[in-house]
Amino acid sequence: MSIIADTLRDATAALVGDSVGAQVLAAAAATVVIAAAARRAFPPSPTDLKLPPSPPAWPFVGHLPLLASTKEPDKLIQKLAHEYGPVFSLKLGNVDVIVISNQELTQETLVKRGKIYAGRWVGKALAIGTENGQDLVMAPYGERWSHMRKIAHRVLTPLKITQLDARLDAESLRFVRHLVSTAGEPVEVKRHLMLYTVNIMLAKCLGITYDSPDDPALRSLCNDMLKIFELGGVGGIEDYYDSLLLNWVAMRHKRKEIDAVFARVHQGLVLGLILELKARLDDELAHGEDPAANRNLCYAEELLLSMEKDELTVNDIKQLLLDFLFAGMDTSAATLLWLHAYLINNPEHQARLHAEVDPIVKTHGRLPSLDDFEELPYTRAVIKEVAMISPVAPLGVPRQTTDTDTLAGYHIPARAQVIYNFVGIHDSVYDRDFRPDRWIESNNLGLMDGIFTFGAGRRMCPGVHLAAREMVLLVARVVACVQLSNAKGDGVKFDMTPAFGLTVLPKETVLVKSTVRGKQVRDLVEKGDAALARATSNQAAAK
Ligand code: HEM
């Protein structure tokens, strides 16, 4: 639901006509009157449990017009949570939607009764891209999901993730090198943060990277991925009614676009690269060579080598890697973007970060690295605070109930869509002051504990360790090398109003100006170019 607003607006307009006007209002009013009379005539038995409270609904379309009336569904959900409490329900066409907005009920449902809430709600358009949930993110809860999840865990364990450190090293260096070389000039950091996270995911998944955010192939890939989110992540009218006709009408245009992206990205780039890697591995094995002895294998290669033992097909590998690419690019980049804006608006936090990293540079004569991870508590606390206060996917990835349940005295139907309102959940535990020290005081620096930005329970984000490492390294290096300020002028604050989208970003474009923090770091960045060259040659060897 985090991403359904636009389509709902169009869909509702199509359904009820351009003006949601007098006729619909009259029908709604009549329905309310009839329902009230029916309630008086047939009062519910005291043992009948009701659905959680809900705002007044339209006949037939339920709350679709309510959602369609806003461009900011996350704010609407906040407002409704204030009015209707920590669990409320909506009716979207034929689908029951349950919204949960406090920590207690989140723990209760995702952890204690995890199995009932472990399904995933998938719209019809997204089902095409994932070939009906053949991936991990959108897989229905069950054996296949469990199998894919085990494999994802195996390649994303904290220990395994350290094998990616050389790539993170090179890519973070590429990012700070850009800030240092453009010191004093305005830089739109979002594009460079995307290059950072995309390159990390592409290098590890498929063994390729791009040199510039302006590379046409990279731009086309990012556009295609955004298109998939836009078309597939957004629930459409076809998802809320079981109607073949409606499905056909609504999907006619979407289908063409989805098929085109599917052909370019899924079957073209990703499958194409996997098959190239497979041919190369087969050749090496046929010549008695050990591929792992020659180079760091990427995930595609690792999984191709173990596919028989793991009972995976080439298509399974493709779907899993597409998940990693989709789930791991925009999320980490968006969190880092918020972080830049927070640091610029709060120079006192930037100063504390400088104080944390400067001794590393001075004592060891090098830039901070992932070996320093444990010695960077304030850096980790700032990242966790940003992830808590400004979750980039504030309504998470919708779940679906696998069975009926009773929650807080209400009936929860099976196959209901369940939304977790992360901002409301965090507000039920923490104040909204930007106060990273809270995580140090409570000795709770792990991104998995005490916040819900990465979900919780059985389907919690398995990429959290990778996200933590890529964010810590980038932030430590940025603050070691440059002082960040707003390109519009020193001391000018960014407008931190969130703009709802595929991921929630600051409404204002974050244009950053950097000032290099001395000759030593400038020299280190230049010297560090060797690391970038090494990583690139490693990759070339892998091709
Ligand atoms: C700041 C970065 C990230 C954020 C905020 C984030 C957030 C989330 C959220 C909210 C979910 C849904 C969890 C739930 O239903 O309880 C999720 C699932 C998932 N994420 Fe992430 N994620 C991030 C980075 C990553 C990375 C780097 C990867 C991959 C390497 C990744 C892979 C996945 C996968 C595969 C799932 C589906 C898990 C399942 O359904 O079993 N994520 N993520």
Side-chain angles (χ1 to χ4, degrees):
M1 168 136 69
S2 57
I3 30 189
I4 57 178
D6 287 343
T7 305
L8 286 185
R9 193 172 312 102
D10 298 348
T12 309
L15 209 67
V16 296
D18 275 345
S19 60
V20 181
Q23 284 181 2
V24 177
L25 282 171
T31 308
V32 172
V33 171
I34 293 165
R39 261 201 306 279
R40 273 196 301 278
F42 306 103
S45 110
T47 53
D48 277 350
L49 289 179
K50 287 193 248 160
L51 283 170
S54 168
W58 298 86
F60 185 58
V61 289
H63 297 99
L64 281 171
L66 180 69
L67 274 162
S69 68
T70 179
K71 282 202 160 178
E72 296 180 316
D74 52 334
K75 295 211 181 104
L76 175 70
I77 293 291
Q78 298 300 328
K79 189 170 149 275
L80 294 175
H82 281 128
E83 266 173 66
Y84 295 93
V87 52
F88 68 88
S89 62
L90 298 171
K91 189 90 181 168
L92 301 184
N94 295 332
V95 177
D96 288 302
V97 179
I98 308 294
V99 183
I100 293 181
S101 302
N102 77 7
Q103 184 196 32
E104 200 191 327
L105 295 178
T106 305
Q107 294 279 14
E108 183 69 36
T109 52
L110 287 185
V111 183
K112 290 198 194 139
R113 292 184 236 177
K115 193 171 169 195
I116 299 180
Y117 293 84
R120 195 64 91 195
W121 188 86
V122 189
K124 294 199 171 68
L126 209 49
I128 299 175
T130 60
E131 296 167 289
N132 283 325
Q134 292 298 302
D135 67 329
L136 168 59
V137 181
M138 294 299 155
Y141 184 63
E143 262 179 44
R144 183 181 166 86
W145 167 80
S146 164
H147 184 56
M148 295 290 262
R149 176 96 193 178
K150 269 191 209 121
I151 288 163
H153 270 303
R154 199 177 71 207
V155 296
L156 292 169
T157 56
L159 189 65
K160 263 295 209 173
I161 289 302
T162 56
Q163 290 179 2
L164 252 177
D165 285 358
R167 172 53 56 190
L168 268 62
D169 199 47
E171 295 302 329
S172 58
L173 196 65
R174 192 198 299 269
F175 185 84
V176 288
R177 194 176 56 162
H178 184 75
L179 289 187
V180 166
S181 67
T182 55
E185 295 167 24
V187 172
E188 196 191 335
V189 277
K190 182 172 170 243
R191 286 169 356 101
H192 295 273
L193 289 170
M194 271 302 266
L195 182 68
Y196 175 62
T197 55
V198 171
N199 269 348
I200 290 169
M201 294 315 304
L202 279 177
K204 193 55 208 171
C205 290
L206 294 161
I208 60 163
T209 52
Y210 294 97
D211 287 337
S212 152
D214 299 318
D215 186 311
L218 173 65
R219 287 173 82 132
S220 148
L221 174 65
C222 289
N223 287 341
D224 277 345
M225 289 209 159
L226 294 179
K227 193 84 211 156
I228 279 278
F229 272 126
E230 204 179 286
L231 294 166
V234 178
I237 197 77
E238 69 280 6
D239 296 323
Y240 296 105
Y241 296 93
D242 295 322
S243 156
L244 286 176
L245 180 66
L246 199 55
N247 189 24
W248 180 78
V249 174
M251 290 295 292
R252 229 167 6 141
H253 297 299
K254 277 190 197 176
R255 175 107 221 181
K256 262 194 205 145
E257 290 193 84
I258 294 173
D259 285 349
V261 175
F262 192 78
R264 274 196 301 270
V265 179
H266 297 55
Q267 301 303 93
L269 178 77
V270 176
L271 185 60
L273 283 167
I274 294 175
L275 291 177
E276 268 178 37
L277 291 166
K278 185 168 182 328
R280 180 176 175 204
L281 287 173
D282 288 346
D283 189 51
E284 284 170 327
L285 293 174
H287 287 88
E289 291 170 31
D290 173 9
N294 298 339
R295 58 187 182 276
N296 261 340
L297 300 181
C298 65
Y299 288 155
E301 290 172 304
E302 279 181 37
L303 294 175
L304 284 166
L305 287 172
S306 70
M307 62 192 275
E308 215 166 291
K309 185 167 72 57
D310 285 333
E311 295 177 21
L312 287 176
T313 63
V314 167
N315 207 49
D316 296 337
I317 297 174
K318 177 195 78 183
Q319 281 295 349
L320 194 60
L321 297 184
L322 278 161
D323 269 2
F324 290 175
L325 296 176
F326 277 75
M329 284 168 32
D330 208 26
T331 44
S332 307
T335 310
L336 286 166
L337 183 69
W338 277 108
L339 188 139
H340 277 72
Y342 274 107
L343 289 188
I344 290 169
N345 281 5
N346 299 278
E348 66 281 13
H349 296 296
Q350 221 181 133
R352 285 209 35 204
L353 289 175
H354 291 156
E356 183 162 272
V357 295
D358 286 354
I360 298 175
V361 179
K362 293 212 166 74
T363 316
H364 305 294
R366 61 167 172 80
L367 294 178
S369 77
L370 280 166
D371 294 340
D372 307 311
F373 190 89
E374 297 300 327
E375 276 76 55
L376 296 168
Y378 199 69
T379 308
R380 291 166 63 201
V382 168
I383 290 167
K384 184 162 178 175
E385 185 71 353
V386 172
M388 187 275 280
I389 294 217
S390 298
V392 291
L395 301 176
V397 186
R399 297 282 191 104
Q400 187 179 52
T401 47
T402 57
D403 204 345
T404 56
D405 192 22
T406 300
L407 184 68
Y410 297 111
H411 170 65
I412 308 293
R415 300 189 61 74
Q417 184 186 133
V418 188
I419 304 294
Y420 289 87
N421 163 19
F422 293 155
V423 174
I425 296 167
H426 291 154
D427 283 354
S428 73
V429 197
Y430 308 109
D431 59 72
R432 291 199 66 75
D433 297 337
F434 188 77
R435 209 167 58 77
D437 274 324
R438 73 177 93 219
W439 309 114
I440 293 177
E441 286 155 14
S442 59
N443 194 17
N444 185 8
L445 286 166
L447 274 181
M448 289 175 72
D449 309 315
I451 65 171
F452 293 89
T453 307
F454 295 85
R458 295 167 195 228
R459 297 196 84 145
M460 184 182 182
C461 175
V464 61
H465 305 295
L466 173 56
R469 282 181 96 71
E470 60 187 6
M471 292 195 286
V472 167
L473 182 65
L474 186 109
V475 175
R477 289 197 160 174
V478 167
V479 295
C481 294
V482 296
Q483 168 84 37
L484 297 166
S485 58
N486 188 333
K488 283 190 187 151
D490 289 343
V492 178
K493 302 230 187 248
F494 286 112
D495 176 0
M496 299 297 270
T497 313
F500 194 81
L502 302 168
T503 44
V504 169
L505 301 172
K507 216 170 230 170
E508 184 180 345
T509 305
V510 180
L511 277 184
V512 163
K513 189 184 84 177
S514 329
T515 309
V516 182
R517 297 187 61 234
K519 183 172 177 325
Q520 189 183 11
V521 285
R522 188 186 287 278
D523 290 346
L524 286 172
V525 169
E526 275 161 22
K527 199 170 94 194
D529 278 357
L532 197 56
R534 257 199 317 278
T536 321
S537 67
N538 214 352
Q539 178 196 330
K543 276 192 181 165

